[in-house]
Structures are given as structure tokens and as C-alpha cells.
Amino acid sequence: MTDMYHLATTIEPPGTHPHWQLLGLTIDSDTVIGTLIAAVIVIGLGLFVRAKVTSGAPNTVQLTFETVNRLMRTQIENAIGVKVAPFLVPLSITLFILILVCNWLSVLPMNFGENGGDVLPPPTSDVNLVYALAILLFVWRYVVGIQRHKGLGRHLIHVYKGHYPALGPLWVLEEFTTLLSLPLRLFG
């Protein structure tokens, strides 16, 4: 009975992370380390695929990634009826693989301590990472839009007008609700 009581009192509450203090900022160390490990794995996978790319007859790795890229591009273009930007599908695949690797870090068969807690909890279990990814995509979307429409003013007019000018206020609302809904979908 006392062992069970001891186990229940030593479990950390949700949202508690080991942290570092840097210039007055609190940085969750497990999130940073887990994200860096996932990023190294994704970059390593990208370099592996890059090393396997040939200009001649494609090998299995190259065929796999080209097929996935083409399949996703075709599916997106058929669904929305618009030709997508050339960087969109590789960016989406990269983010998917990064999030997948971040989540898979929790299934590593490593535990520590008496309670058998995770050595490294998944970085996506920290709301700070998912909001950072949402802000990154929000800013990226505006940078690309500004480049595509040749200026901030033209891009904002495009966002406000949308397809139907009467729905302009809803498009503006959508811009800000997207910033909230992206992390909530990933975190939830």
C-alpha cells in the first residue's frame, strides 16, 4: 500500500517539464532536446534520399519519394482545383515526418528511474512546440503570399477579397482562427 502511495505522489502533473533558464526565459529542455533529435533524424533522412538520387535510372528510394510526392500533389490539386506551389508538397511531407518522428520518440523502449518514466517525452506533447509550428506556418504563408502577389498590400487585398468580396470579413477571421486551430488539432 505504501509503495502505491509513493508512486502516486512522485508522478509529475501534466505540463511539468525539466527546464533551463536562459536570459530570463524558461526553456523546456526535454522539448528542445526531443525536437533537435527529431530534426536530426529528418535531416538525416533527407540527406539519405539526396545521396540516393540519380540522374539515370531511378532506384527504389528515389521512386518511392517521387511517387509519394506526385501522389500527394495530384490529390491536393484535384481536391482544391488549383495548381499548388512547387514547395508546398515537400514542405508538407517534411512537417508530417517531423511530427511523426516527434511522436515516435515516446515509443522508444527506454525508461528511467523507479517509476519507469519516459527518457524523452514526445516534443509534440508540449504546447510550446505546436504553437511555434503554427506561427512558423502562419508567417511562412504570408511571406510566400507577399512574394506571389508582389507586395503586402496586394496580398492583404487578395486575402480580404477571397473568391467572393462579400465574404471578406470571414476570410480575415479565418486567418486568425487558423493560428489557433492548427496547434489545437495537433495537440489534441
Side-chain angles (χ1 to χ4, degrees):
M1 180 74 170
T2 57
D3 291 337
M4 189 176 226
Y5 175 75
H6 177 69
L7 180 63
T9 58
T10 57
I11 296 174
E12 294 182 7
T16 305
H17 298 274
H19 59 273
W20 300 317
Q21 294 292 329
L22 180 67
L23 302 173
L25 298 173
T26 303
I27 300 171
D28 294 339
S29 59
D30 58 348
T31 303
V32 171
I33 292 169
T35 305
L36 289 175
I37 290 171
V40 165
I41 292 171
V42 170
I43 291 170
L45 180 64
L47 292 174
F48 171 74
V49 171
R50 171 64 182 98
K52 295 291 184 178
V53 171
T54 62
S55 61
N59 57 26
T60 307
V61 174
Q62 184 176 352
L63 280 174
T64 302
F65 276 87
E66 286 180 2
T67 303
V68 168
N69 191 353
R70 190 177 317 113
L71 177 70
M72 287 185 66
R73 180 178 306 281
T74 305
Q75 185 175 3
I76 291 168
E77 289 175 355
N78 289 340
I80 63 175
V82 178
K83 187 171 172 24
V84 296
F87 68 87
L88 184 64
V89 174
L91 172 67
S92 301
I93 293 171
T94 304
L95 281 174
F96 173 77
I97 292 172
L98 176 73
I99 292 167
L100 185 70
V101 171
C102 283
N103 287 331
W104 279 356
L105 287 177
S106 67
V107 260
L108 292 176
M110 297 182 294
N111 294 323
F112 72 96
E114 299 171 4
N115 303 335
D118 290 334
V119 171
L120 195 61
T124 50
S125 69
D126 186 3
V127 74
N128 297 317
L129 176 68
V130 295
Y131 275 110
L133 287 174
I135 290 170
L136 172 77
L137 289 177
F138 184 79
V139 169
W140 194 323
R141 192 169 70 184
Y142 267 88
V143 167
V144 169
I146 290 168
Q147 289 175 349
R148 181 177 178 197
H149 298 108
K150 296 176 179 56
L152 176 62
R154 288 182 179 174
H155 177 65
L156 291 177
I157 289 171
H158 173 77
V159 168
Y160 184 74
K161 280 179 154 180
H163 294 292
Y164 303 103
L167 297 177
L170 290 176
W171 281 75
V172 172
L173 183 64
E174 179 189 8
E175 292 297 311
F176 293 105
T177 56
T178 298
L179 192 57
L180 286 174
S181 70
L182 283 175
L184 291 177
R185 283 182 271 171
L186 178 59
F187 191 67

